[in-house]
């Protein structure tokens, strides 16, 4: 895949993608290619478990992705052989099903086809089975109460196209099916068995041939709540033409049931005996020349909450024989995954392995999946997070947590680079603040350090809208604003500073200095999940004292955090609780929810704004760093101020608003605080202004609006007025984010990154000359490939101010409504 397109003077490569998994059952699929597919808002994300990195996101869906399914499954790979090209299906909340062509070895991916639009509501489950090297049968179910069976024919040549046809459509009535499983019936006249379950608490088994209609052959009624997952095993061959099929089912009744479908020649049973046998032993049905007797093999009870998924361990090829291990993986909302196997002597199914999520705030797992080799298991949970365990034992099982990609599971509204460029801080409506950084000792195949989430400084009780890092000297600090009237100030604890040193592989000799300078080791969460209280170094060394019964009954009794210095990238359980930063101050003053924050370059002032419908509420507050007292209230706008930016020399403050106005204030430091004066106010655009950005070396700035335009402005030398330098050609969608970076200060050239409502990013080369309109020029240097871009609104773009050691490499960070955080390497040609 080409890194980007545009034909300009730049090339762009992805350095990092962080995104959480949609919190939906059936959203994850792990195929024989070794790659994991999952839905991340409207995109399909692909990640590699070996590197714990998201490789790409696939754009195309217009609604939330509900389910994914590799067409070639771990069960079928031995039937058709390992293939160079793999195909992936994805279904979304608007009823659309798409097929994707993936070439893992070359990292090439493209959209192969979109299924005919036959579902009227969201697709909830997909299943597939390969019947030959180029033909697959798939089934899809939807909230519209229809199950469609599809035939997909794949091209036999590299340049061919996929063909799709609908074999049958099954109406299941007003109670939709939410779980499906397909398998081939062994034998000469092989057909397909389709099991489906859902809201009617029954399992329906259908039989169909490879070209025609499906008909129901039996019902299984033992579950007492919704069926959530179904999975057929590979046939277990018994000799003499007989075989057993096993079907495992899970339900919201907290139980798992294993059903045995025992085959025998149909000639052994008279038609008159079917009713009596079905009454005594269980349902009986005949398909072709084979009779199946269905019986309940085992009832598995062990989970304490809804069991959302069950899956047979992938078959193992032993010599020329395919062996189906009698091993089942289950995942539940009780925060555990279990592996079940029959006891060797008695045959009684037992829970032999239990792994889980220990975080007190976790709400369980939506699904669990086997690796193709059966040596690893993967879960995805309520917090949008993945959990991976691998059996590293010799002779006995020893399942240990492994690294996985992590990210936000809701819209990411703001981000900021640290003052040294060591890490990226992001905030989201998932109510968390997260820190991403490259871990220098964990390298990819191209010897580049791989990015990981290394801390979660704030876990809040409100959606977080904005953040700024305090610049200047001193410890790492940031201010965040959420859907509350209070801005909160946080300071890095000792545990994070040491972890950051390990991440960057720095000399550890300065640990003694850190111990003397920083006395706060970490932070604890309060009972209501709003304030984070410091854990001091001295108190952490003391042994904990027992609590009284009165204390145990108090709302304040929540688990204590254990601040930890990490020598390798942490996993979800560690991040969720043990990497909090203490809150040092609260900034009171605004009348509504915080919306925008910015810190000046000297690290002495923070400006903030809130959501507003009137001029009084829309004022910008100035806060003095250190004392954290209010030193100014700037009035100009009548609606929400959407972004605030300080000029490079901190003498000017630029604000843009939903009222379509831009305002420029002059700032002068005095002994009493800060003097401010409104020097310019313009109705700059025809629609809401979402973004602004200063030229880092001159008094020039850009504004971007819903009217699809970007305008470049300059402030007069006497700072008395603002002039329009240029309007860039109209963009393809609303402009929602801007970031200006200087390239050559003497010639006043730079790069302007433009983010749009459709998720696309363009980078423009800007040359301002001597600040006269006649000398201004702007050209589009590059339009990023859609496979690199976001799939929904971009909320913020930020250039890393400190260059990497690699010659000519710039770093651009972005975040958006698609739950993702992205970092790009921008190379000059």
């Amino acid at each position: 895949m080409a890194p980007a397109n545009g034909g300009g003077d730049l090339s762009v490569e992805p350095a990092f993608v962080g995104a959480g998994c949609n919190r939906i059952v059936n959203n994850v699929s792990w195929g024989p290619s070794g790659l994991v597919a999952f839905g991340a808002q409207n995109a399909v994300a692909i990640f590699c478990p070996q590197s714990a990195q998201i490789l790409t996101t696939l754009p195309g869906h217009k609604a939330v992705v509900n389910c994914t399914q590799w067409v070639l499954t771990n069960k079928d790979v031995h039937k058709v052989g390992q293939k160079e090209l793999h195909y992936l299906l994805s279904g979304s909340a608007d009823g659309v099903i798409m097929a994707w062509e993936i070439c893992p070895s070359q990292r090439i991916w493209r959209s192969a086809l979109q299924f005919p639009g036959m579902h009227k509501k969201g697709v909830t489950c997909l299943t597939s089975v390969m019947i030959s090297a180029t033909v697959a049968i798939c089934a899809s179910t939807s909230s519209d109460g229809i199950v469609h069976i599809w035939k997909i024919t794949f091209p036999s040549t590299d340049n061919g196209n996929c063909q799709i046809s609908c074999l049958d459509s099954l109406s299941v009535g007003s109670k939709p099916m939410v779980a499906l499983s397909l398998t081939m019936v062994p034998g000469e006249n092989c057909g397909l068995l389709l099991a489906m379950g859902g809201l009617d608490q029954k399992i329906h088994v259908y039989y169909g041939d490879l070209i025609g209609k499906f008909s129901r052959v039996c019902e299984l009624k033992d579950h007492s709540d919704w069926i959530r997952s179904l999975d057929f095993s590979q046939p277990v061959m018994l000799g003499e033409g007989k075989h057993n099929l096993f079907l495992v089912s899970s339900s919201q009744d907290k139980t798992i049931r294993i059903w045995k479908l025992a085959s025998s020649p149909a000639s052994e049973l008279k038609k008159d005996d079917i009713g009596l046998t079905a009454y005594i032993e269980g349902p009986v049905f005949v398909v072709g020349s084979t009779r199946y007797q269905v019986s309940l093999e085992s009832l598995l009870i062990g989970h304490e909450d809804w069991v959302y998924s069950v899956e047979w361990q992938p078959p193992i090829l032993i010599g020329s024989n395919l062996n189906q291990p009698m091993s089942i993986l289950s995942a539940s909302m009780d925060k555990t995954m279990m592996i079940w196997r029959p006891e060797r002597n008695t045959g009684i199914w037992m829970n032999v392995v239990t792994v889980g999520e220990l975080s007190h705030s976790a709400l369980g797992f939506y699904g669990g999946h086997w690796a193709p080799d059966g040596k690893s298991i993967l879960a995805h949970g309520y917090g949008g997070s993945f959990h991976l365990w691998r059996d590293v034992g010799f002779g006995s099982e020893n399942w240990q947590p492994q690294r996985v990609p992590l990210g936000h599971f809701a819209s990411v509204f703001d981000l900021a680079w640290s003052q040294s460029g060591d890490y990226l801080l992001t905030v989201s409506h998932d109510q968390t603040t997260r820190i991403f950084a490259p871990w220098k000792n964990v390298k990819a195949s191209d010897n580049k350090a791989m990015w990981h989430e290394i801390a979660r400084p704030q876990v809040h009780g409100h959606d977080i809208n904005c953040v700024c890092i305090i610049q200047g000297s001193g410890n790492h600090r940031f201010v965040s604003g959420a859907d509350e009237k209070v801005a909160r100030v946080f300071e890095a604890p000792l545990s994070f500073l040491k972890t950051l040193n390990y991440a960057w592989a720095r000399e550890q000799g300065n640990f003694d200095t850190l111990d003397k300078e920083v006395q706060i080791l970490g932070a604890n969460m309060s009972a209501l999940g709003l304030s984070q209280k410091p854990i001091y170094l001295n108190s952490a060394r003391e042994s904990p004292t027992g609590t009284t019964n009165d204390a145990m009954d108090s709302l304040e009794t929540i688990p204590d955090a254990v601040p930890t210095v990490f020598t390798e990238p942490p996993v979800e359980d560690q991040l969720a609780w043990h990497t909090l930063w203490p809150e040092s101050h609260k900034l009171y003053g605004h009348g509504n929810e915080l919306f925008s924050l910015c810190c000046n370059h000297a690290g002495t002032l923070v400006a903030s704004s809130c959501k507003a419908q009137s001029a009084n509420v829309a004022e910008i507050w100035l806060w003095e760093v250190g004392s954290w007292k209010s030193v100014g209230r700037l009035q100009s706008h009548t609606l929400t101020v959407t972004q605030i930016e300080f000029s490079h020399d901190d003498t000017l403050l630029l604000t843009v608003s939903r009222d379509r106005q831009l305002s420029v204030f002059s700032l002068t430091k005095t002994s009493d605080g800060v003097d401010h004066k409104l020097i310019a106010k313009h109705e700059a655009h025809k629609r809401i202004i979402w973004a602004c950005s200063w030229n880092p070396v001159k008094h020039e700035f850009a504004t971007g609006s819903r009217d699809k335009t970007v305008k470049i402005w300059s402030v007069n030398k006497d700072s008395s007025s603002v002039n329009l330098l240029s309007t860039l050609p109209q963009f393809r969608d609303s402009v929602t984010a801007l970031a200006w970076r200087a390239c050559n200060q003497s010639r006043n050239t730079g790069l302007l990154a433009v983010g749009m409502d459709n998720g696309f990013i363009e980078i423009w080369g800007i040359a301002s000359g001597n600040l006269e309109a006649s000398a201004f020029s702007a050209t589009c240097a590059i339009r990023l490939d859609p496979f690199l871009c976001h799939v929904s609104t971009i909320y913020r773009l930020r250039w890393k101010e400190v260059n990497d050691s690699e010659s000519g490499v710039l770093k651009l960070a972005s975040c958006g409504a698609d739950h993702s955080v992205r970092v790009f390497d921008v190379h000059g040609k």
Side-chain angles (χ1 to χ4, degrees):
M1 182 182 68
N5 55 53
D9 298 328
L10 300 175
S11 65
V12 177
E13 295 177 348
F16 170 69
V17 180
C21 182
N22 291 341
R23 301 186 290 176
I24 304 169
V25 183
N26 302 321
N27 190 43
V28 176
S29 182
W30 196 345
S33 64
L35 301 180
V36 176
F38 67 95
Q41 208 243 7
N42 295 356
V44 179
I46 307 292
F47 90 77
C48 175
Q50 284 72 34
S51 64
Q53 298 290 296
I54 295 176
L55 304 180
T56 189
T57 53
L58 308 177
H61 286 288
K62 304 300 182 186
V64 172
V65 176
N66 284 343
C67 49
T68 61
Q69 174 69 38
W70 292 99
V71 178
L72 176 60
T73 65
N74 295 325
K75 299 174 188 175
D76 293 333
V77 68
H78 302 296
K79 187 190 312 179
V80 300
Q82 188 65 262
K83 302 173 74 68
E84 179 70 14
L85 288 179
H86 291 259
Y87 290 89
L88 173 70
L89 304 180
S90 58
S92 59
D94 58 358
V96 172
I97 303 173
M98 299 187 72
W100 308 88
E101 185 180 275
I102 313 288
C103 181
S105 60
Q106 300 180 36
R107 300 290 170 88
I108 296 175
W109 23 74
R110 71 176 184 92
S111 174
L113 63 86
Q114 180 171 320
F115 283 36
M118 299 181 69
H119 283 300
K120 305 305 179 187
K121 294 184 179 180
V123 181
T124 55
C125 186
L126 295 164
T127 185
S128 66
V129 61
M130 296 291 294
I131 60 175
S132 72
T134 58
V135 178
I137 303 295
C138 306
S140 61
T141 184
S142 165
S143 303
D144 60 10
I146 304 293
V147 176
H148 293 300
I149 294 96
W150 310 86
K151 179 181 179 180
I152 307 178
T153 304
F154 301 108
S156 55
T157 62
D158 292 341
N159 299 323
N161 295 318
C162 295
Q163 303 294 325
I164 181 75
S165 61
C166 184
L167 293 181
D168 202 356
S169 296
L170 308 174
S171 177
V172 297
S174 61
K175 295 184 177 181
M177 299 292 108
V178 295
L180 300 173
S181 184
L182 265 174
T183 190
M184 285 189 66
V185 178
E188 297 178 2
N189 301 318
C190 60
L192 295 169
L193 285 179
L194 170 64
M196 62 178 75
L199 279 61
D200 65 357
Q201 306 175 15
K202 303 174 185 176
I203 300 170
H204 306 269
V205 180
Y206 284 74
Y207 173 77
D209 55 32
L210 303 183
I211 58 172
K213 299 295 182 180
F214 278 69
S215 58
R216 185 161 58 187
V217 293
C218 75
E219 283 184 358
L220 309 174
K221 301 180 181 180
D222 279 10
H223 283 292
S224 59
D225 207 333
W226 291 7
I227 312 294
R228 296 312 305 234
S229 183
L230 294 166
D231 192 32
F232 275 113
S233 70
Q234 282 290 99
V236 178
M237 307 310 294
L238 304 177
E240 298 181 1
K242 295 183 179 181
H243 63 270
N244 288 339
L245 280 173
F246 291 92
L247 173 67
V248 61
S249 62
S250 70
S251 166
Q252 290 180 186
D253 63 11
K254 309 177 188 178
T255 67
I256 301 165
R257 284 172 163 79
I258 303 172
W259 309 87
K260 182 168 74 172
L261 285 69
S263 75
S264 60
S267 58
E268 293 183 4
L269 184 70
K270 297 179 181 179
K271 291 185 178 180
D272 295 341
D273 295 335
I274 291 180
L276 181 61
T277 305
Y279 179 78
I280 298 173
E281 300 180 10
V284 177
F285 62 90
V286 176
V287 293
S289 59
T290 305
R291 161 190 174 267
Y292 283 98
Q293 168 74 57
V294 185
S295 60
L296 181 63
E297 172 77 2
S298 188
L299 171 64
L300 311 184
I301 299 176
H303 286 294
E304 298 176 354
D305 209 332
W306 297 354
V307 185
Y308 267 141
S309 83
V310 282
E311 188 174 290
W312 287 97
Q313 183 177 336
I316 301 171
L317 192 63
I318 302 176
S320 60
N321 298 320
L322 193 61
N323 178 47
Q324 171 64 65
M326 288 290 102
S327 181
I328 293 170
L329 176 68
S330 63
S332 168
M333 286 300 280
D334 65 5
K335 309 179 190 178
T336 65
M337 280 204 305
M338 296 181 179
I339 297 176
W340 305 81
R341 298 192 186 106
E343 205 272 329
R344 183 171 299 176
N345 296 323
T346 65
I348 297 173
W349 283 78
M350 305 289 290
N351 165 28
V352 295
V353 175
T354 300
V355 295
E357 188 177 16
L358 300 178
S359 171
H360 77 287
S361 59
L363 290 178
F365 294 141
Y366 281 104
H369 304 273
W370 290 98
D373 62 1
K375 297 294 186 181
S376 299
I377 53 177
L378 176 75
H380 65 104
Y382 180 83
S385 56
F386 287 104
H387 304 260
L388 177 65
W389 289 269
R390 185 161 183 83
D391 181 11
V392 297
F394 296 96
S396 62
E397 290 183 275
N398 180 16
W399 295 85
Q400 292 298 317
Q402 306 294 308
R403 288 193 302 271
V404 287
L406 297 169
H408 293 284
F409 59 90
S411 297
V412 188
F413 270 81
D414 205 355
L415 55 77
W417 288 99
S418 67
Q419 51 188 319
S420 58
D422 286 351
Y423 58 84
L424 189 64
L425 181 72
T426 62
V427 297
S428 165
H429 277 194
D430 67 7
Q431 304 185 350
T432 66
T433 299
R434 304 184 188 221
I435 289 178
F436 300 92
W439 201 281
K440 291 295 184 181
N441 290 333
V442 182
K443 296 185 181 295
S445 56
D446 56 4
N447 208 36
K448 290 183 180 179
M450 291 191 291
W451 285 67
H452 296 274
E453 184 180 347
I454 66 168
R456 204 165 294 171
Q458 185 183 9
V459 179
H460 203 35
H462 294 289
D463 295 353
I464 309 175
N465 300 321
C466 50
V467 70
C468 70
I469 288 182
I470 307 301
Q471 304 299 317
S473 60
N475 192 14
H476 301 256
R477 291 176 293 176
F478 72 87
V479 184
S480 70
D483 276 349
E484 56 178 344
K485 303 174 184 180
V486 184
R488 299 173 185 269
V489 184
F490 296 84
E491 186 165 344
L494 183 63
S495 57
F496 171 77
L497 299 176
K498 291 184 176 182
T499 296
L500 189 63
N501 279 346
Y502 278 112
W504 280 87
R506 296 188 179 119
E507 293 294 331
Q508 306 302 324
N510 63 347
F511 274 11
D512 291 339
T513 306
L514 285 175
D515 286 342
K516 294 176 183 177
E517 293 178 351
V518 183
Q519 293 298 308
I520 297 176
L521 184 61
N524 259 327
M525 177 65 70
S526 68
L528 296 180
L530 295 177
S531 296
Q532 293 171 195
K533 302 174 182 179
I535 300 173
Y536 291 97
L537 195 58
N538 292 334
S539 63
R541 290 169 179 161
E542 297 172 3
S543 59
T545 58
T547 56
T548 64
N549 289 334
D550 291 339
M552 290 298 290
D553 293 334
S554 167
L555 286 174
E556 293 293 332
T557 57
I558 55 176
D560 283 338
V562 182
T564 307
V565 178
F566 297 104
T567 57
E568 59 182 22
V571 295
E572 174 67 20
D573 285 352
Q574 297 164 326
L575 287 165
W577 194 236
H578 304 309
T579 60
L580 296 173
W581 290 20
E583 181 184 311
S584 60
H585 294 86
K586 295 182 179 70
L587 310 182
Y588 295 95
H590 284 290
N592 284 332
E593 299 92 338
L594 272 291
F595 196 83
S596 182
L597 285 164
C598 185
C599 179
N600 68 353
H601 298 81
T604 57
L605 284 178
V606 169
S608 62
S609 70
C610 69
K611 297 178 182 178
Q613 296 289 334
S614 64
N616 288 338
V617 181
E619 59 190 4
I620 297 102
W621 286 58
L622 297 179
W623 310 88
E624 183 180 65
V625 174
S627 68
W628 296 110
K629 66 180 181 180
S630 172
V631 292
R633 294 165 67 175
L634 286 58
Q635 291 192 348
S636 175
H637 298 284
T638 57
L639 294 174
T640 304
V641 174
T642 54
Q643 192 168 357
I644 310 167
E645 291 288 327
F646 287 92
S647 63
H648 68 282
D649 56 4
D650 292 338
T651 60
L652 299 174
L653 180 68
L654 169 66
T655 62
V656 294
S657 167
R658 295 177 67 99
D659 63 10
R660 310 175 187 179
Q661 307 272 347
L662 69 82
S663 299
V664 178
F665 299 86
S666 65
L667 302 176
T668 307
K669 186 166 183 176
T670 66
S671 57
D672 297 331
V674 177
D675 282 345
H676 52 85
K677 177 185 176 183
L678 178 65
I679 63 172
K681 181 177 179 180
H682 286 278
E683 184 168 343
H685 291 267
K686 297 177 182 179
R687 304 288 299 275
I688 292 172
I689 307 175
W690 284 122
C692 63
S693 183
W694 283 100
N695 181 336
V697 295
K698 299 287 184 179
H699 284 171
E700 301 170 334
F701 61 87
T703 57
S705 165
R706 184 180 281 176
D707 64 11
K708 303 181 183 180
T709 63
V710 171
K711 295 183 178 182
I712 311 295
W713 311 77
S714 68
V715 181
N716 286 353
K717 292 182 179 179
D718 58 359
S719 296
S720 61
S721 63
V722 171
N723 299 322
L724 177 64
L725 280 181
S726 179
T727 301
L728 300 190
Q730 191 169 52
F731 289 84
R732 291 174 285 179
D733 208 340
S734 303
V735 176
T736 54
L738 294 170
W740 194 329
R741 181 184 174 94
C743 289
N744 187 309
Q745 187 168 349
S746 61
R747 290 187 294 172
N748 195 20
T749 61
L751 296 175
L752 181 65
V754 181
M756 287 171 267
D757 199 33
N758 57 10
F760 289 175
I761 298 174
E762 296 182 8
I763 300 177
W764 285 66
I766 304 291
S768 302
N770 58 3
L771 300 186
E772 295 180 2
S774 59
F776 181 88
S777 67
T779 56
C780 182
I782 195 167
R783 291 186 175 94
L784 271 65
D785 188 290
F787 283 86
L788 296 183
C789 293
H790 296 263
V791 298
S792 298
T793 307
I794 296 174
Y795 288 126
R796 194 72 76 225
L797 292 167
R798 297 280 189 199
W799 291 100
K800 181 179 175 181
E801 296 299 330
V802 183
N803 281 343
D804 279 6
S805 58
E806 299 100 325
S807 174
V809 178
L810 306 176
K811 280 199 168 4
L812 174 66
S814 65
C815 64
D818 62 355
H819 309 176
S820 73
V821 177
R822 298 166 191 257
V823 179
F824 304 97
D825 285 338
V826 182
H827 303 263
K829 292 184 179 178

